[in-house]
Amino acid sequence: MAIVPMKKVTVAALQSELQALMSALQQFSGIEVTKLEPQVLESLQNLDPSSLKHGYEESLRQLRFCMQHLEPYEAAKGKLRMLKEGRPILKQSHYYDRCQDKWWIPLYNTIKKWDDEDRKLQSQKTALEAEVSALQPVKGIEFSGEMLSSFHYAAAELGILHKDQLGMLESFMAQTLPEAHFEKLGIEKDGILVLLLTHTKDEVALQTFLHTLRYSRVQLEFETAPTQKIPEIREALIQLDQLRGNLAAQIEQHAGALEELRAASDMITSEIKKCDATALLGSTRSAFLLEGWVPVPLFSDFEKIVMDTCGGAAALTSRDPNEEDHVPVLLKNNAFAEAFEPVTAMYSLPSYFETDPTPVYAPFMLVFFGMMLSDAAYGIVMSSLSLWALKALNLDLKQRKFAKLFLWLGLSTAFFGVLYGSYFGDLFSAQITPVWLDPSSNPMSVLYVAIGMGVIHIYVGLGIKAWNLIRNGKIMDAVYDSGLWVVTLSGIIMMLLGIETIGKIIAILGAVGLVLTQGRDKKGIVPRLASGLFGLYGITGYLGDVLSYSRLLALGLATGLIGSAFNLMVRLIGFGPLTFVFAVLIFLGGHTFNLLINILGAYVHAVRLQYLEFFGKFYTGGGRAFAPFATESKYCQFVK
């Protein structure tokens, strides 16, 4: 079984049973509730749980507000520890009853009050910091603005003058206002802080001249001098920080409520999901109608839940999908192929009515990856880490599939490493001989195997295409679009292998067949032949696909040669007392780098061979993943 068969179900029951049934189905997690078809809704009304949903959304906002402010004070946990512990398992009925009481509201109000006060303190701090910043140009001044404005017969001018224009000001003061006082108080970047004192009768002349210069006036707005005001502000900032620290300490005392807040968040989110699912239903005054998709293996359990919850007072019908339905897809494979399902999902899930390619391409990807990484020691490291992750860490379903995938890929890498005699590159080449051959000294043999694997891979893709066409009753299309390509390619391969006469005849017969059939949907002989000739041009694509498999040799050589290069560096350093540490660092660092970079390369190229060279022959994709109506499990797992 690859794609799990589905049933379209319809349930009609009394309104009084709605909430109980929706709760039971959410706990069941085995039905995808769908919107009713338009023709059905004509005689029904949509249920509208929007007011209830708005209440839940407000509760969720309050919970997230509390969590956001408490999480910074939570004891830090490493990612590894979090994976080991996993999500806590909690009793659903207990937390459901607690959520009905909205126990978090007093905590929310308290944190909200503290947060408002903290915002005010932060605003005051920002204003004081701005004042300190504004006073920096005059921080050395020991007089106040009030003192400057207290003169009766003198006018004071305090400002910053660009240093390039200092000479102009000095010349003016000496020639025009010789009795005026002029003092440089300090340097601020490209400017000079200056103080000018002149008689009030000369104030206008002085200001008129200053307007011609790059000069900006400085206002001393405080009653105290900057040398006194800045320390006062900084003392106020210290006090504000202490007040904010006291508030933070009060908030920190409630960090222990985080687990319950998260559980409540999941519970409330589950209730919002229930409202969304309920909005898809139709109703009359006394009854409701529900439609959805249920996997066939779960249908009997679903039927029992409906009848038990509704006390037998429910009408349940089901039917098989038809081609007009947009059926959700749920994959179910054996333990080996299941590990490769994330690779399929990254491309696109199969449509419900086509073949799941996962169990077919999984062996090919396993072999391709192993040939490209091909080091026994690297494979053992990969498999060991994957096995440890599966045993020691509390992984979710998707994470477990990836761990299993790399467990299998590691075993394949170790297998081909033994065949090639590669253990951390050539580290043990003198002690361990290859079971098969050394790719660096005999690359052509590996290339022939790689090309042969590619041909088989492409033939399997064409075979699946033929099977899909035959299953849909298009037997002749399978012959034309798959069979003739196999004949043509086989003839060309025979010619390359030296069987020229028979190979040429087979290739010509296949090519003629393609020309005559590839344009069969066209009207008229000329359009058909033209389209057939264009279709035959696709042979270049097949030849390019076959050559793509040479990467199985190229990446395998790269892994071994890079590893051997690091080994050579270690040998050149030697193993003396002073060089031992450097040798160990180069060995560990070099092989770690080689392992990681070539895992990435081998994975990407193994996946590419599936997506382009294999899927392109038969795969449509476009499937929609089965999305069951279930409880939220972001932070915890609920059990009955």
Side-chain angles (χ1 to χ4, degrees):
M1 183 186 296
I3 297 178
V4 178
M6 292 282 175
K7 286 279 189 183
K8 184 67 177 287
V9 298
T10 303
V11 177
L14 298 175
Q15 284 275 11
S16 57
E17 308 294 344
L18 175 61
Q19 291 303 317
L21 180 60
M22 294 302 287
S23 297
L25 292 180
Q26 189 174 40
Q27 185 67 35
F28 169 59
S29 303
I31 179 175
E32 179 181 309
V33 180
T34 59
K35 190 174 182 179
L36 296 175
E37 297 177 0
Q39 60 269 27
V40 177
L41 278 174
E42 289 179 358
S43 57
L44 299 174
Q45 294 180 342
N46 274 120
L47 289 169
D48 184 16
S50 57
S51 59
L52 183 62
K53 181 180 177 180
H54 290 329
Y56 285 131
E57 287 175 337
E58 174 60 20
S59 295
L60 186 61
R61 185 191 66 79
Q62 294 171 348
L63 288 165
R64 288 176 175 171
F65 178 87
C66 294
M67 291 159 57
Q68 177 186 352
H69 284 77
L70 294 178
E71 281 172 351
Y73 307 105
E74 185 179 24
K77 292 183 181 180
K79 290 186 177 180
L80 189 60
R81 181 182 171 188
M82 293 175 65
L83 284 173
K84 282 185 176 181
E85 293 180 356
R87 291 168 295 176
I89 300 174
L90 306 174
K91 191 173 181 181
Q92 184 174 8
S93 58
H94 170 72
Y95 280 91
Y96 180 82
D97 293 338
R98 288 211 66 196
C99 286
Q100 300 307 305
D101 297 333
K102 297 186 177 182
W103 60 268
W104 60 84
I105 289 182
L107 176 60
Y108 167 77
N109 291 333
T110 300
I111 295 177
K112 184 70 168 62
K113 178 182 176 182
W114 288 337
D115 181 64
D116 290 342
E117 188 171 348
D118 184 68
R119 287 176 183 274
K120 292 178 182 177
L121 294 175
Q122 177 62 40
S123 179
Q124 294 175 23
K125 181 179 179 181
T126 302
L128 290 176
E129 288 174 340
E131 290 179 2
V132 171
S133 179
L135 287 170
Q136 287 306 303
V138 294
K139 59 185 177 182
I141 293 179
E142 298 181 353
F143 51 82
S144 65
E146 184 179 11
M147 186 190 76
L148 290 180
S149 62
S150 65
F151 301 135
H152 293 287
Y153 302 105
E157 188 70 38
L158 179 68
I160 296 176
L161 178 73
H162 194 276
K163 64 181 181 180
D164 293 340
Q165 298 187 322
L166 178 62
M168 296 174 64
L169 179 61
E170 289 176 336
S171 177
F172 172 80
M173 297 294 291
Q175 296 176 11
T176 309
L177 303 173
E179 297 179 356
H181 176 75
F182 172 51
E183 185 176 352
K184 292 179 287 186
L185 301 179
I187 298 175
E188 179 68 22
K189 294 183 181 178
D190 292 335
I192 299 174
L193 182 65
V194 296
L195 174 65
L196 302 126
L197 292 173
T198 185
H199 196 278
T200 53
K201 65 182 178 61
D202 298 323
E203 181 180 5
V204 174
L206 175 61
Q207 290 184 353
T208 301
F209 179 75
L210 289 175
H211 286 158
T212 66
L213 304 178
R214 296 171 64 183
Y215 170 82
S216 59
R217 178 179 292 177
V218 173
Q219 297 286 348
L220 295 180
E221 298 178 351
F222 303 104
E223 296 180 356
T224 55
T227 52
Q228 181 181 352
K229 187 64 180 179
I230 291 176
E232 290 177 359
I233 295 175
R234 285 178 173 160
E235 180 63 29
L237 286 171
I238 293 173
Q239 294 176 3
L240 284 177
D241 285 337
Q242 290 175 347
L243 290 174
R244 295 188 72 207
N246 293 337
L247 286 176
Q250 292 175 337
I251 294 176
E252 186 177 3
Q253 294 176 359
H254 297 279
L258 270 170
E259 182 173 316
E260 283 202 296
L261 287 168
R262 288 169 177 156
S265 173
D266 276 356
M267 181 62 67
I268 295 299
T269 304
S270 297
E271 293 302 308
I272 292 174
K273 286 184 175 181
K274 189 187 297 182
C275 291
D276 291 337
T278 303
L280 300 174
L281 276 55
S283 69
T284 63
R285 290 183 179 179
S286 57
F288 69 89
L289 186 68
L290 175 150
E291 284 188 350
W293 295 101
V294 176
V296 169
L298 299 178
F299 180 75
S300 59
D301 294 335
F302 169 75
E303 186 177 29
K304 185 176 186 301
I305 287 172
V306 171
M307 293 306 170
D308 289 350
T309 306
C310 299
L316 170 61
T317 61
S318 65
R319 66 170 177 84
D320 294 327
N322 56 55
E323 293 187 356
E324 295 179 355
D325 292 323
H326 191 28
V327 190
V329 174
L330 178 64
L331 301 182
K332 178 66 175 177
N333 289 292
N334 57 40
F336 169 68
E338 182 185 51
F340 293 81
E341 289 177 358
V343 179
T344 306
M346 281 193 296
Y347 181 84
S348 176
L349 288 174
S351 69
Y352 181 79
F353 297 100
E354 71 176 327
T355 302
D356 175 19
T358 308
V360 182
Y361 79 75
F364 286 102
M365 183 171 172
L366 185 71
V367 172
F368 295 163
F369 185 95
M371 290 183 70
M372 286 187 281
L373 194 55
S374 62
D375 187 284
Y378 292 173
I380 292 171
V381 171
M382 282 179 61
S383 298
S384 300
L385 289 175
S386 301
L387 189 61
W388 171 81
L390 288 168
K391 297 294 184 182
L393 304 182
N394 199 331
L395 306 176
D396 60 29
L397 180 60
K398 187 175 181 180
Q399 291 169 334
R400 290 191 66 82
K401 286 183 179 180
F402 267 110
K404 289 179 181 178
L405 172 63
F406 281 93
L407 172 62
W408 284 109
L409 295 180
L411 293 174
S412 177
T413 299
F415 174 76
F416 278 95
V418 172
L419 291 183
Y420 292 167
S422 179
Y423 302 82
F424 289 117
D426 63 350
L427 185 63
F428 299 106
S429 58
Q431 294 80 21
I432 305 175
T433 57
V435 173
W436 178 33
L437 55 80
D438 180 2
S440 61
S441 60
N442 195 358
M444 293 308 296
S445 295
V446 180
L447 180 61
Y448 294 148
V449 172
I451 297 299
M453 290 293 300
V455 171
I456 296 172
H457 198 214
I458 290 172
Y459 276 14
V460 171
L462 290 170
I464 296 175
K465 181 178 182 178
W467 165 249
N468 287 337
L469 291 170
I470 293 170
R471 190 175 61 173
N472 293 329
K474 301 177 180 179
I475 298 176
M476 293 311 298
D477 286 348
V479 174
Y480 299 148
D481 295 337
S482 291
L484 289 176
W485 278 113
V486 172
V487 171
T488 305
L489 293 173
S490 299
I492 294 173
I493 292 171
M494 292 173 69
M495 292 169 61
L496 294 174
L497 293 175
I499 313 173
E500 295 186 4
T501 304
I502 299 176
K504 187 182 296 184
I505 294 172
I506 293 175
I508 292 173
L509 289 174
V512 171
L514 289 171
V515 171
L516 295 176
T517 60
Q518 293 303 291
R520 60 187 180 276
D521 57 334
K522 306 293 182 182
K523 294 183 179 180
I525 296 177
V526 174
R528 287 184 181 181
L529 291 177
S531 185
L533 287 170
F534 182 76
L536 182 61
Y537 182 72
I539 194 70
T540 59
Y542 281 97
L543 294 177
D545 289 347
V546 171
L547 291 176
S548 293
Y549 293 86
S550 61
R551 71 189 69 233
L552 301 180
L553 166 66
L555 270 75
L557 283 174
T559 304
L561 293 177
I562 294 173
S564 300
F566 286 115
N567 294 338
L568 178 60
M569 293 171 64
V570 172
R571 294 189 190 102
L572 291 175
I573 289 177
F575 293 95
L578 297 177
T579 59
F580 178 75
V581 174
F582 293 101
V584 170
L585 291 176
I586 290 173
F587 181 84
L588 294 178
H591 282 288
T592 299
F593 168 80
N594 193 32
L595 173 61
L596 295 176
I597 198 68
N598 282 292
I599 283 177
L600 178 62
Y603 181 82
V604 168
H605 286 285
V607 168
R608 181 194 180 280
L609 289 172
Q610 311 307 322
Y611 289 174
L612 298 183
E613 278 69 26
F614 189 61
F615 284 4
K617 304 298 179 292
F618 68 93
Y619 192 51
T620 302
R624 176 175 63 84
F626 178 64
F629 171 47
T631 55
E632 177 72 8
S633 57
K634 181 178 181 180
Y635 299 109
C636 59
Q637 300 180 68
F638 288 115
V639 296
K640 291 183 179 180

